[in-house]
Structure formats: C-alpha cells, structure tokens
Amino acid sequence: MEYVLTTNALCKNYQYFKALNGLSMHVPKGAVYGFVGKNGAGKTTLIRLICGLQYPTSGGYTLYGIEGTDRRINAMRRRMGAMVESPSVYSNMTAEENLKEQYRILGMPSYQGIAELLELVGLDHTGRKKAGNFSLGMRQRLGIAIALSGSPDFLVLDEPVNGLDPQGIIEIRELILRLNRERQITILISSHMLDELARLATCYGFIDHGRMVKEISAKELEEACRKCMRIQVSDVRALARVLDGLQMEYTILSDTTADVFARVKITQLALLLAKENCEILSVHERDESLESFYLNLIGESANQTGNASMDERGDRL
Amino acid sequence: MMKLIHANFARMIKNRIFWLSEAFLAGYSVFVYLMAARNLKLNPVAVNWNLYFFNAILVIGVVIAVFSVFFIGVEYSDGTIRNKLIIGHKRREIYLANVLVCFTVGMIQFLTCLVVSAVSGTLIIGTQMLALHEPGWCMLHCVMIIAAYAAVFCMIAMLDTNKARAVLEEILVAAVFLILTLQIYGDLTQPEYTNRTALTQEGGFQVEENIPNPKYVTGNKRVLYEWIDAFLPADQAMYVIDSEAVYSLRAPCCLFFETVVLIMTGAYVFQKKDIK
C-alpha cells in the first residue's frame, strides 16, 4: 500500500512531559484518516511535527516517502495543506485578501482559482467583511480554503468542526467528503467527535498518552462493531451445523461461543438445536459503536499502561 | 524567498501602522522646520542644519520598533506564520524576509522625512538649509543605524511569540539604548580642557583658560566607550545631527557587523524554535 505519511517511533518531549511516546502511524494515499484521541493525547503535537512547526525529540516520519530530516522535505510540504488548531487567517483582511496573501506566499503566478475556492467553502458572498468579524464557522472554512490554496494532495485538519453549529458541521463534513472523492485528496482529520468521524473516515488511528493504540480500516472497524448475537451453547459444532442450514453468517469464538451476524429467531434456533441435543446457555445482543469501541480500546490501553507502570514500580522496588 | 518578500511587501502596503507613522513623520519633519525658523529668528548665526534635516533619525528607532512588533506579532497572534512553514518555506528565509521588510519600512519612512524636510525646509527657510555638514557620511551612518534597529527589533518580535511581551521587551531595549547613549555620548563629547571664570579679590572676573576637564574620559575607559559608542545606533544618531562631528568608517562598520551578527543569531534561534 502506498502511504502519504508514516511515522516511526516518534517522540516529542516538552521538558519533562512526553507528548508523543514512540508513535507509529500510516496514512494510506486517498484515505480519510480519522485520528482519534482524548484531549492531551498528542494529536495536535503530531500534526505540528509533520507540518514542520516543531521538531521531534526522537524517531522520524516520512512524507511521500521522504524522511523528515531530508532536505527535500520542504518541497514535499508544498504538496500539503493544513489547518492546525485555530484557523490561521489575518483578521484585518477579507476572505479574498487572505487567499491572495496565501497565493503570494505560495508564489502562484496569478490569482486564478480564488473565486472557486471561496465558492467551494461557501464564503463567496462575504464581500468586504474582515475575517476578524467572521463567525467561528466562517473562519474554519476560510482556514480550510487557505489550506486548499496551491491544490494540495494531502490535507491535515486539526479539529475542523470544533465549535461549529450543526449546520456548519454538516457543511464541513460534505466539503471534506467532496474533496476526498472529487479531488482525490488524502485527508488526515484529528477529532474527538466520534460520530462525525464515523461518517467520514476510511481509516482510523486511535492514540492515547502519545502512543498509537490501534490503526484500523473503516471496514475492519465495521466488522468489529457489527451488530451480532453472541450465543453460548453446550456444543458449538451443533450450532455451526444449524447456522449453516439456516445460511447465516457466524464466527466461532470458542468451544461454546459464537457470534451470529443475522437476526435470529430464538424459538426456531432453540428447536433446531434441541434436535441436535445442544443446549443454549446464554444469548446476548452485541451492538458496538465507534464510541464504545474507542472506550474499550482506551480502557484496555489504560489498563496496560497501568500494569506496565505497576510492573515498572515493582521492578524498582 | 522572493515569494515571502513579495507577500510581506503586499501586506506592508496595506498596514495601517505603516501609513500612520508615515503621516506622523511627515508632519514631524514640517514641525521641525517650523521650530528651525523660530530658532533662526532668535539666533541667526551658527545654525546646525544637520539637526533639522536629519532629525528623523532620532525617532526612526521607535517607528521601526512599533512597526516590527505589530507587523510580525500579528503573524503569531493570528497564527499565519504557520501557513508559511506548512507549505515548506525555510525558517531562515521567513526570518530574513521579515528583517528586510522592517529595514525597508525604516528606509522608506526616513527618506520620506528627508524629502518632506527638503521641501518644507526650502519653503519655510530657503535653500540655506541645504548647507549640511558631511551629508554623504551622514547618509551612510543613517542607513547603518536603520539596519541595526531593524535587526534588533525584528529579532525581538520574531523570537517572542507573545505580542504584548514583545512590546515590553522592545520598550526596555529602547530605554537601555537611550540610557547608554545619554551616558556615553555625554561623556565622550566632554571637552578635554575648559575655561574657568573666577571672582578676583578686587571684585573683577578672571578667566582661567585650558584647565583640564575632570569629566573628560581618558585612557582605556575612553577606548572602551568609543567602541560601545560605535555599536549603539541611538548614539550614532547623535553624531549624525552634530554639525561638528568627525566621521570615520569605524561606526558604520561596527553597525554593519552588529546587524549581521544579530540577524544570524536571530535566524539560528528561530530555526530551533518550537512554534504552536
């Protein structure tokens, strides 16, 4: 698989605080990568590093296969656009003036495309209104328009829907989807708004305490979060025979347990299993959302971190 | 780097502080010649025309300080410096482009003052105001003074991301320049010998000539003061407006060296800086 961005054991320390602690991640080309983590997990720090705003303490990253320490990295950065934390706009300029300034910084030969960009983000009617008087949503959209100047093929958005009203959230979501589908732009979005991410992302990276807890594709996540019945029986082989007969999709988890991915008529199943001399011990409906998946993941990670630190303390003692 | 310079100048042209200071300095230059005309009536002989023509060099440091802290500070407060870094501009180039724009603003404002002074001076006083002492040397000094101011104040504005704190730091640096200038220029311009007038027993006055001046700085202290003096832009500005100053290449060279060292140091520190 071709990756736009990879990081390898990336670390960033701020004095005694480890913001990133050996983070490794892979952003595939063409993906909408949802970067999920709670506040202070290290999302923005990673974005600052890959945007060249800060330097890693150790570890490294590659952008389009070029190492972050390579001289050619600045040329690679020309292919990316980013909005880090708050939108970076001159508050004493209009939306159009802001884009013109960014075009000059980029060294674009003309201002062609500014009108289209303003239209794309829905700011084409702002006229002479200064960005300082824009609402937060308008500033976010202007920030995205600036990030899109120079037609990047990798867009990094740090909490793009933070503080937006529901209408603004929908507009930004549609814009991101359109950019990904119509312009094939790879997008890295950091957010803790899981419902929003679930509607956009094709890949996820879950980060906690500066470490990557899990990277998973949307398809794998869907599999993991699929609605299913977890059935515990006395004989799982008998259950498999019955489910095969009913043409139902299932996964055997142990000698007694299986997940069934279909709507099961319990009475029918019980009668068929009884014919096979198999007893139903328990039936649970499982419906895991991205939110519960994340919470389970972070919970496990916290336990592991906790155990590791306990072990460490034990070793020291 | 040309892209950054182009973008900076486009922003400079629209900068309100730039135009306000331009208007202030133009008005100041006219005011200086109105004062000159008044003084000329009171004392028509031995007029120091450098004092009036190059007077703007005394305030140009303040103008550069104010402009740099707001022009560069807004890049941190609005976060727009990130836009330059994200798309791959080198930090060294960003730094140099900002120094260049601060220097250019200083030069434009100073030249505006000279043009307004020449026009208003000729209209108010006449062409006699153009009888300047060593105008070539003065111009060279002025250019180097402006470059040194741009390097100092740009460094502060670039290295402190907090605009309010940067303002305080620039005021502090300007105050230190002023205090050092008052001290060193005052001591160095003391005459070596003075005359003393004493009252005689007969009730008359007796003038004692060529008495060594105790405030005159000599030896190593004088050498040290002269070197410090050469590195202080505010101090050098005092020589520009002095019609009896003797110029040498030492001061412009020291100011040039100071400018280069400050730019290189600032660019190096900025290179290592974490930006939020």
Side-chain angles (χ1 to χ4, degrees):
Chain A
M1 192 182 282
E2 197 180 339
Y3 295 108
V4 170
L5 171 74
T6 62
T7 71
N8 180 27
L10 205 56
C11 292
K12 177 67 183 175
N13 299 351
Y14 296 112
Q15 293 183 325
Y16 303 109
F17 173 66
K18 276 189 174 180
L20 288 183
N21 186 12
L23 183 108
S24 296
M25 73 184 287
H26 307 82
V27 179
K29 190 178 176 187
V32 177
Y33 190 101
F35 195 34
V36 188
K38 54 189 174 188
N39 289 335
K43 302 185 297 290
T44 303
T45 303
L46 175 99
I47 290 173
R48 286 179 188 151
L49 295 188
I50 61 168
C51 288
L53 302 177
Q54 298 185 355
Y55 301 103
T57 309
S58 65
Y61 65 90
T62 66
L63 206 54
Y64 298 99
I66 303 294
E67 286 286 337
T69 48
D70 195 303
R71 279 172 167 267
R72 291 172 293 166
I73 194 72
N74 285 332
M76 290 302 118
R77 287 220 173 87
R78 179 70 176 74
R79 293 173 63 182
M80 71 184 275
M83 190 175 76
V84 186
E85 290 182 289
S86 54
S88 308
V89 295
Y90 289 107
S91 43
N92 62 339
M93 290 186 189
T94 64
E96 191 182 345
E97 284 167 348
N98 264 291
L99 285 174
K100 281 184 176 171
E101 180 68 7
Q102 187 64 10
Y103 266 48
R104 283 189 284 265
I105 292 168
L106 283 159
M108 306 283 268
S110 73
Y111 298 130
Q112 211 174 6
I114 286 182
E116 287 81 1
L117 264 180
L118 287 172
E119 201 183 329
L120 183 75
V121 296
L123 292 176
D124 47 339
H125 299 300
T126 51
R128 298 189 61 76
K129 193 174 181 179
K130 305 275 185 205
N133 299 325
F134 281 8
S135 68
L136 182 59
M138 289 164 84
R139 286 169 68 86
Q140 295 274 37
R141 278 182 276 169
L142 181 56
I144 293 176
I146 287 173
L148 287 170
S149 309
S151 309
D153 41 27
F154 179 36
L155 189 62
V156 179
L157 301 173
D158 187 12
E159 311 275 6
V161 292
N162 242 8
L164 294 189
D165 57 21
Q167 180 66 28
I169 292 174
I170 293 166
E171 283 172 13
I172 295 284
R173 183 204 310 152
E174 283 173 359
L175 175 65
I176 291 169
L177 285 172
R178 226 178 328 146
L179 291 170
N180 179 249
R181 284 171 194 164
E182 292 171 12
R183 300 191 183 189
Q184 282 78 47
I185 298 176
T186 307
I187 300 172
L188 168 67
I189 309 175
S190 93
S191 181
H192 41 231
M193 295 185 72
L194 299 175
D195 284 351
E196 259 321 298
L197 271 187
R199 291 173 185 164
L200 287 168
T202 57
C203 292
Y204 296 90
F206 295 91
I207 180 179
D208 192 38
H209 291 102
R211 279 177 176 275
M212 184 60 77
V213 180
K214 196 172 185 72
E215 275 190 301
I216 189 168
S217 72
K219 200 174 175 189
E220 287 169 323
L221 185 71
E222 199 185 323
E223 294 276 319
C225 298
R226 251 167 107 184
K227 208 170 197 174
C228 68
M229 300 287 285
R230 180 157 291 180
I231 303 175
Q232 197 180 10
V233 290
S234 55
D235 181 1
V236 82
R237 271 180 249 165
L239 176 66
R241 280 197 296 275
V242 169
L243 292 173
D244 284 339
L246 293 170
Q247 293 182 331
M248 284 182 181
E249 200 183 332
Y250 62 91
T251 307
I252 304 286
L253 301 173
S254 71
D255 287 347
T256 57
T257 317
D259 277 344
V260 182
F261 300 100
R263 191 170 279 274
V264 179
K265 289 177 183 166
I266 302 293
T267 313
Q268 184 193 17
L269 185 69
L271 289 170
L272 290 168
L273 285 173
K275 280 182 191 168
E276 299 274 343
N277 290 325
C278 175
E279 213 178 325
I280 295 177
L281 303 174
S282 68
V283 178
H284 298 286
E285 195 176 55
R286 292 187 75 239
D287 180 15
E288 197 169 31
S289 62
L290 174 59
E291 198 170 82
S292 53
F293 180 85
Y294 167 75
L295 288 174
N296 286 336
L297 206 61
I298 297 302
E300 281 169 26
S301 154
N303 286 340
Q304 279 169 11
T305 314
N307 290 340
S309 55
M310 290 281 274
D311 290 348
E312 217 170 272
R313 261 178 261 160
D315 288 348
R316 264 187 246 149
L317 287 167
Chain B
M1 187 163 153
M2 289 311 292
K3 297 169 194 171
L4 290 169
I5 293 170
H6 178 214
N8 273 355
F9 282 130
R11 198 154 68 84
M12 180 199 86
I13 293 293
K14 290 177 189 159
N15 191 290
R16 198 179 293 168
I17 291 170
F18 172 75
W19 290 108
L20 282 175
S21 53
E22 189 81 351
F24 165 74
L25 284 175
Y28 176 77
S29 300
V30 175
F31 172 75
V32 163
Y33 274 98
L34 289 172
M35 293 305 291
R38 186 172 159 270
N39 290 345
L40 198 62
K41 278 182 192 164
L42 297 172
N43 182 17
V45 288
V47 178
N48 173 10
W49 294 115
N50 277 34
L51 172 66
Y52 302 112
F53 190 71
F54 291 111
N55 200 282
I57 199 68
L58 296 176
V59 293
I60 205 74
V62 177
V63 172
I64 294 173
V66 171
F67 177 82
S68 63
V69 83
F70 283 99
F71 187 81
I72 296 168
V74 82
E75 297 235 47
Y76 287 114
S77 59
D78 286 351
T80 47
I81 197 157
R82 295 190 297 230
N83 293 341
K84 297 177 179 176
L85 289 165
I86 287 165
I87 58 157
H89 280 299
K90 289 178 186 153
R91 287 176 181 232
R92 192 180 56 231
E93 292 177 351
I94 294 171
Y95 190 91
L96 287 177
N98 280 342
V99 174
L100 192 70
V101 78
C102 291
F103 172 70
T104 311
V105 164
M107 283 306 298
I108 291 173
Q109 309 241 321
F110 182 64
L111 291 173
T112 304
C113 287
L114 293 192
V115 171
V116 173
S117 293
V119 173
S120 60
T122 312
L123 291 173
I124 296 167
I125 289 165
T127 50
Q128 57 175 313
M129 53 74 62
L130 292 170
L132 300 167
H133 170 65
E134 300 277 15
W137 276 107
C138 288
M139 276 308 293
L140 176 66
H141 271 70
C142 289
V143 171
M144 296 323 301
I145 290 166
I146 291 168
Y149 275 137
V152 172
F153 293 125
C154 194
M155 184 167 87
I156 296 169
M158 284 295 286
L159 299 185
D160 198 337
T161 53
N162 184 317
K163 200 160 78 174
R165 201 169 49 212
V167 171
L168 286 176
E169 285 163 359
E170 299 213 346
I171 291 169
L172 193 68
V173 168
V176 168
F177 275 163
L178 186 69
I179 292 164
L180 282 173
T181 298
L182 290 174
Q183 176 69 39
I184 291 171
Y185 180 79
D187 284 357
L188 284 178
T189 49
Q190 285 288 335
E192 192 171 359
Y193 298 100
T194 55
N195 296 338
R196 189 165 61 191
T197 307
L199 196 64
T200 58
Q201 283 182 334
E202 292 80 32
F205 291 100
Q206 186 189 357
V207 178
E208 292 177 56
E209 289 185 341
N210 293 333
I211 294 170
N213 182 357
K215 288 181 181 170
Y216 183 75
V217 183
T218 56
N220 288 338
K221 192 180 176 186
R222 186 167 192 91
V223 174
L224 178 70
Y225 270 30
E226 281 173 353
W227 278 104
I228 296 173
D229 172 77
F231 282 97
L232 282 175
D235 212 335
Q236 289 306 311
M238 298 299 286
Y239 290 102
V240 170
I241 57 162
D242 185 350
S243 63
E244 289 172 5
V246 179
Y247 302 108
S248 73
L249 268 177
R250 179 161 71 172
C253 288
C254 287
L255 288 173
F256 178 75
F257 177 74
E258 179 185 351
T259 304
V260 172
V261 168
L262 284 172
I263 291 173
M264 285 170 70
T265 310
Y268 177 78
V269 178
F270 181 63
Q271 183 83 28
K272 304 281 171 197
K273 197 173 170 59
D274 276 349
I275 290 167
K276 285 191 174 175

